[in-house]
Amino acid sequence: MTRLFLTASLAALAACATPSAPEPRVDHVGFVEAHLTEDPKPERVEIVETAIPLPLPGQLKPLEPEPAKKPALSPEGAIEEGRAGAVIEPSPEGFLNAVQVYPYTEGALYRLYASPGQVTDIALQPGETLVSVSAGDTVRWIVGDTASGSGRAARAHILVKPVAAGLQTNLMIATDRRTYHLELESTPATYMAALSWRYPQDELAGLTARNADIAAQDAVPVERGLSLETLSFDYRITGDSPDWTPVRVFDDGRQVFIQMPSGITASEMPPLFVLSSGGTAELVNYRVRGHYYIVDRLFTAAELRHGTKPQTVVRISKAGAAPRPRWFGG
């Protein structure tokens, strides 16, 4: 009975001492460098201010004597000077086909030239809702409104037509987004077929929001969205032990994630060389996101290589892979 007990104990100890499956032997020649790709997301836009030229020391000149103070303007003169300085005239470079496109600025006065027998179309921003239209002269100027498009592309239009040449008046358009002020003038033959605006502040706000969205996407950790039930950490990290040795390697059944040390910079990350699950060299895509390499498919073995002679190599292999005598050459 004692001999039977000892035999069973030795068998149990032998089972515990059974070595784990050996690491598969890998031929360095068979590895193919993986292709680094970028995440399909919009690029961040750099927003800069307009440069203001400053004089160099050799360009500094003595100040001119202060000119005599101008006499104070009368209220009427101040109003006329301010109004004249706020008027924006049409320019050749502002035309897009037959449409004069003004840059929108709060408080500016936009010139509109019209002609008897011709209609000028004032097109608002798509999606902008017209609230009211007010004209200084509603007897000799015909003002109406219409709309084009539907849904988010819906666009309000104000139509203007004078009954005679040599007329002047002003027009105020109120919408749910802004207010437009126009100076209307009728001429015998010259007229503007249409005018609209571009909106630099809206464009800047859109770029700022786009950059904020990209920054928020970059801040989302790789671990978010992964299911613990599908993760496999059955990978071995062998070879050299540089400072950039991966912290851990795991996959979710579809992609392989290689976590690098937190102190590593993008310029220090070495290229990745991989073998497919069948042991053949294949070109695969991978991305770098934060401190992770994200490989777009599973692999049996991979290597991170840095330098040439001597070359630093860190090998990553699937621990559950069956041992092979040698890949690529038997």
Side-chain angles (χ1 to χ4, degrees):
M1 182 68 178
T2 301
R3 181 176 301 174
L4 181 59
F5 177 79
L6 289 175
T7 301
S9 300
L10 290 174
L13 289 175
C16 294
T18 302
S20 58
E23 180 185 353
R25 300 175 62 187
V26 179
D27 185 358
H28 288 268
V29 179
F31 285 89
V32 174
E33 183 176 2
H35 179 60
L36 177 61
T37 61
E38 297 291 338
D39 281 327
K41 61 184 180 182
E43 295 184 358
R44 186 172 301 180
V45 179
E46 182 180 3
I47 301 173
V48 297
E49 295 182 357
T50 303
I52 301 175
L54 298 176
L56 298 175
Q59 297 174 326
L60 296 176
K61 298 180 179 180
L63 295 175
E64 297 290 339
E66 293 186 6
K69 293 184 177 180
K70 296 181 179 180
L73 292 174
S74 64
E76 293 81 0
I79 293 173
E80 181 60 28
E81 185 174 312
R83 189 196 67 79
V87 174
I88 300 179
E89 298 283 352
S91 61
E93 59 272 11
F95 274 96
L96 179 61
N97 295 328
V99 181
Q100 173 69 38
V101 181
Y102 285 122
Y104 179 81
T105 303
E106 182 73 25
L109 298 175
Y110 301 98
R111 181 77 73 185
L112 184 153
Y113 292 98
S115 182
Q118 306 292 342
V119 172
T120 297
D121 173 22
I122 304 172
L124 303 184
Q125 188 179 30
E128 192 170 15
T129 301
L130 180 63
V131 176
S132 65
V133 179
S134 300
D137 184 351
T138 57
V139 175
R140 296 179 298 176
W141 288 81
I142 301 172
V143 180
D145 65 272
T146 185
S148 65
S150 61
R152 297 181 62 181
R155 194 169 191 178
H157 299 259
I158 293 88
L159 307 179
V160 176
K161 183 175 68 171
V163 298
L167 304 178
Q168 292 183 348
T169 190
N170 70 317
L171 184 72
M172 191 277 286
I173 303 171
T175 73
D176 61 339
R177 298 178 182 176
R178 56 186 66 87
T179 302
Y180 303 87
H181 297 274
L182 294 94
E183 295 284 301
L184 310 185
E185 184 174 341
S186 63
T187 64
T190 303
Y191 78 102
M192 299 165 63
L195 68 86
S196 65
W197 287 266
R198 60 180 180 86
Y199 305 90
Q201 292 298 324
D202 289 7
E203 295 170 3
L204 180 60
L207 294 177
T208 303
R210 174 180 173 181
N211 287 348
D213 291 341
I214 295 174
Q217 293 176 17
D218 292 340
V220 175
V222 172
E223 296 88 344
R224 181 175 295 183
L226 296 177
S227 175
L228 293 177
E229 291 79 6
T230 62
L231 297 185
S232 171
F233 294 85
D234 197 18
Y235 289 87
R236 295 175 179 174
I237 301 175
T238 58
D240 299 325
S241 300
D243 294 338
W244 45 262
T245 300
V247 176
R248 64 176 59 86
V249 182
F250 58 93
D251 70 70
D252 62 354
R254 185 174 59 90
Q255 295 175 313
V256 179
F257 300 84
I258 304 173
Q259 182 181 356
M260 305 298 286
S262 59
I264 191 173
T265 62
S267 60
E268 297 173 335
M269 289 186 168
L272 179 70
F273 297 79
V274 298
L275 287 175
S276 69
S277 300
T280 58
E282 291 187 4
L283 184 65
V284 299
N285 294 331
Y286 73 98
R287 302 181 301 280
V288 176
R289 182 174 173 186
H291 299 294
Y292 284 86
Y293 286 65
I294 304 177
V295 186
D296 288 337
R297 58 180 302 177
L298 304 181
F299 57 74
T300 300
E303 287 183 352
L304 295 168
R305 300 178 184 176
H306 185 270
T308 53
K309 295 182 180 180
Q311 187 177 56
T312 304
V313 178
V314 174
R315 181 174 303 152
I316 302 169
S317 56
K318 186 74 173 175
R324 298 173 182 265
R326 281 189 75 82
W327 284 319
F328 297 103

